[in-house]
Amino acid sequence: MTIFTSRDPAGRAGLELGLLTVGIVSSMAAAHAAGVQATEERKERRAAYRYACELAEARGRADDLGRVAIRAVRHVASLEAEVRRLRVALDQRQAHIDRMRGAV
């Protein structure tokens, strides 16, 4: 039955307009929900990408810091060896001075 064959065309037109409005609103709500979901997924992808980039950068910095630490440890070891050599030389010098004083 249409508005043209109905005994109450205004009521029938209002009913059809209401159903049409409900259909349009439902479609718009579904489109809005899909848009919100797409936005959330994009945010999650961007956050995951940003995390991956920051993690790669941190790993690179950690590698650099590891190399710096290894160089520093080697340098400290060489300095400690030099200090030992200088102490030995100083002890020998002091022993020589003590012997020379005792001989006089």
Side-chain angles (χ1 to χ4, degrees):
M1 183 181 307
T2 66
I3 61 172
F4 302 110
T5 59
S6 173
R7 290 182 8 194
D8 184 16
R12 185 68 183 173
L15 180 63
E16 288 180 11
L17 183 61
L19 290 174
L20 183 62
T21 303
V22 167
I24 290 172
V25 169
S26 175
S27 296
M28 289 177 68
H32 176 70
V36 169
Q37 183 179 359
T39 302
E40 290 298 320
E41 289 172 359
R42 187 170 179 200
K43 277 184 188 178
E44 289 174 8
R45 281 195 310 268
R46 271 187 287 167
Y49 177 74
R50 189 170 39 247
Y51 175 78
C53 289
E54 290 173 358
L55 182 62
E57 186 179 329
R59 284 181 177 158
R61 283 194 306 263
D63 288 342
D64 291 342
L65 289 175
R67 284 189 286 275
V68 168
I70 289 170
R71 274 193 314 238
V73 167
R74 287 178 180 159
H75 184 65
V76 167
S78 70
L79 291 175
E80 288 174 345
E82 185 178 352
V83 166
R84 279 192 299 274
R85 284 190 302 270
L86 291 173
R87 283 189 178 160
V88 167
L90 187 60
D91 289 342
Q92 289 173 352
R93 181 175 181 252
Q94 189 62 44
H96 181 70
I97 291 171
D98 292 342
R99 280 193 307 271
M100 300 260 311
R101 282 189 183 164
V104 173

